[in-house]
Amino acid sequence: MEHVVLGVMGASGGLGVSTVAVALAVRAARFVGATVCVDRPYGGGLDVTACLEHLPGLRWGDLARSRGEVDGAGVLTALPAHRSTRVLAARGQRPPDEVVEATLTALTQVCGLTVLDLGTEVALPARCTDVVLLSGVSARQLADASSVTEVLQAAGFPSGVRLVLRMARRDGLSPEQVAAHLDLPLAATLRDDAQTLSDADHGRTPGTRSAGAMASVVDRLLLACGVGGPGLASAEAP
């Protein structure tokens, strides 16, 4: 089985990186079985985004005193889950870097898809096979996205980066022109979606709706990354 490691990052804050990351892991589970969505060890709240904060299970802080090789299957089964999607969220003491690396290595070996919530960090884990970059379209957001793109290109990731534009329905910019300006392939346009906001307010895990703006965009991204099946072929164009 091919193990895909998908990093999701935002050029700016407040673009819904965590929501997209969880939705990717949830929707991919239909095709690859066990998936895991991993929070930044110094972040926090990914289990809240996934609506799993009330469930027991390991968080990053529980792994802080781990030593040596990590049992990926053991960690996976101990995480809070939505069906076959599990979430490793930040809470408590931040584990040392070597523990983070060992845990990620172990999880990627036992999961068909590992989704890393990178937040706005441009320090890209070398293990990512694909990267999704979310960007807004205001002048400030585009300036941030340009800076991030330069870092990604310097890191050797230009062919593996997929751009998702967060746009309000009133925005008059052409998504294709924005992508050309950033010199990145446009994977999808994610419009503001009241349904996604309502789901968050009512404790519904992202990615569980069978249709809608979020489902369409996430399915496109999964197809582009080689995850999915014929059922995704009808996903909407950007």
Side-chain angles (χ1 to χ4, degrees):
M1 177 179 64
E2 183 180 357
H3 299 273
V4 176
V5 183
L6 179 56
V8 185
M9 64 184 302
S12 311
L15 295 174
V17 168
S18 295
T19 299
V20 172
V22 171
L24 283 162
V26 168
R27 295 187 70 75
R30 298 168 292 166
F31 303 100
V32 300
T35 63
V36 63
C37 193
V38 182
D39 206 354
R40 291 153 291 149
Y42 46 85
L46 190 62
D47 51 352
V48 177
T49 301
C51 305
L52 304 175
E53 73 277 10
H54 60 289
L55 297 181
L58 288 179
R59 269 68 173 181
W60 270 123
D62 300 311
L63 299 168
R65 292 184 174 82
S66 299
R67 295 293 182 270
E69 188 173 343
V70 173
D71 176 8
V75 170
L76 188 68
T77 57
L79 297 175
H82 172 80
R83 299 179 182 172
S84 57
T85 296
R86 298 184 180 270
V87 173
L88 176 52
R91 185 185 298 175
Q93 180 182 352
R94 176 179 175 175
D97 290 344
E98 58 269 23
V99 173
V100 174
E101 289 298 315
T103 302
L104 290 177
T105 296
L107 288 173
T108 58
Q109 290 173 345
V110 297
C111 291
L113 176 68
T114 301
V115 182
L116 305 182
D117 179 352
L118 302 175
T120 57
E121 292 297 314
V122 294
L124 199 65
R127 61 172 43 86
C128 286
T129 55
D130 295 270
V131 177
V132 172
L133 175 64
L134 275 69
S135 174
V137 295
S138 71
R140 175 70 263 172
Q141 290 171 325
L142 289 177
D144 291 340
S146 294
S147 297
V148 171
T149 300
E150 291 177 4
V151 175
L152 293 175
Q153 290 173 338
F157 276 89
S159 62
V161 179
R162 308 181 192 283
L163 177 66
V164 174
L165 292 177
R166 288 299 319 274
M167 301 181 71
R169 298 194 180 278
R170 64 180 179 274
D171 288 327
L173 294 176
S174 161
E176 290 76 16
Q177 289 178 337
V178 173
H181 169 74
L182 295 175
D183 194 25
L184 288 174
L186 178 63
T189 299
L190 181 57
R191 304 283 182 178
D192 290 346
D193 180 30
Q195 192 176 67
T196 299
L197 294 175
S198 176
D199 286 347
D201 290 340
H202 291 87
R204 180 165 185 162
T205 301
T208 55
R209 287 190 178 274
S210 59
M214 181 64 70
S216 177
V217 166
V218 167
D219 286 353
R220 283 188 61 83
L221 291 170
L222 292 174
L223 269 180
C225 296
V227 179
L232 294 184
S234 61
E236 295 178 5

